[in-house]
């Protein structure tokens, strides 16, 4: 199996930027499709972005496209989420997820492995 650990969360002001990282260990990182999800307070977990094994294909939630960018560095076993022009509605716990095989996907139930999450708080 693979273990996932998110980092880079914190408190930022509206309009600012933040970059999250997810470090993976356990198996060859390039075997995994990677995704980012988030869960705002009191709401259900929602899809943010996903990336294919070698980074050639990227998919985003329609409402976030243009502000958020997903990338990966397989040599470092790490996937990133660059977040720009942050809004208060972006406040959430952000999770990275991994799954073996297939294309990047938005369905949370398609991912077999999950990190513990990192808190992002955007102040008004």
């Amino acid at each position: 199996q693979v273990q996932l650990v998110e980092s880079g969360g914190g408190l930022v002001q509206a309009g600012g930027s933040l970059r999250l990282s997810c470090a993976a260990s356990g198996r060859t990182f390039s075997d995994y499709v990677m995704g980012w999800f988030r869960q705002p307070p009191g709401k259900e977990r929602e899809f943010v972005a996903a990336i294919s094994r070698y980074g050639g294909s990227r998919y985003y939630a329609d409402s976030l496209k243009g502000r958020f960018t997903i990338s990966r560095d397989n040599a470092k076993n790490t996937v990133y989420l660059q977040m720009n022009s942050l809004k208060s509605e972006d406040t959430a716990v952000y999770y990275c997820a991994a799954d073996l095989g297939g294309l990047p996907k938005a369905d949370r139930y398609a991912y077999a492995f999950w990190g513990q999450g990192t808190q992002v708080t955007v102040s008004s």
Side-chain angles (χ1 to χ4, degrees), residues 85-108:
S85 301
L86 285 165
K87 308 172 182 179
S88 60
E89 65 195 58
D90 296 319
T91 294
V93 177
Y94 284 72
Y95 300 88
C96 67
D99 198 57
L100 287 167
L103 298 173
K105 44 217 171 182
D107 184 1
R108 59 180 288 195

Side-chain angles (χ1 to χ4, degrees), residues 62-82:
D62 289 341
S63 62
L64 302 178
K65 189 174 180 63
R67 293 197 299 121
F68 287 18
T69 303
I70 188 171
S71 62
R72 67 191 296 164
D73 186 340
N74 288 348
K76 297 182 178 180
N77 288 1
T78 303
V79 62
Y80 304 94
L81 183 68
Q82 178 68 45

Side-chain angles (χ1 to χ4, degrees), residues 24 27-34 52-55 72-75 77-78 99-101:
R27 188 178 171 87
T28 303
F29 184 60
S30 60
D31 287 347
Y32 296 93
V33 170
M34 301 296 299
S52 60
R53 295 175 184 176
Y54 295 98
R72 67 191 296 164
D73 186 340
N74 288 348
N77 288 1
T78 303
D99 198 57
L100 287 167

Side-chain angles (χ1 to χ4, degrees), residues 6-25:
E6 302 95 335
S7 63
L11 176 64
V12 299
Q13 63 181 4
S17 298
L18 199 64
R19 185 177 67 187
L20 305 182
S21 299
C22 176
S25 62

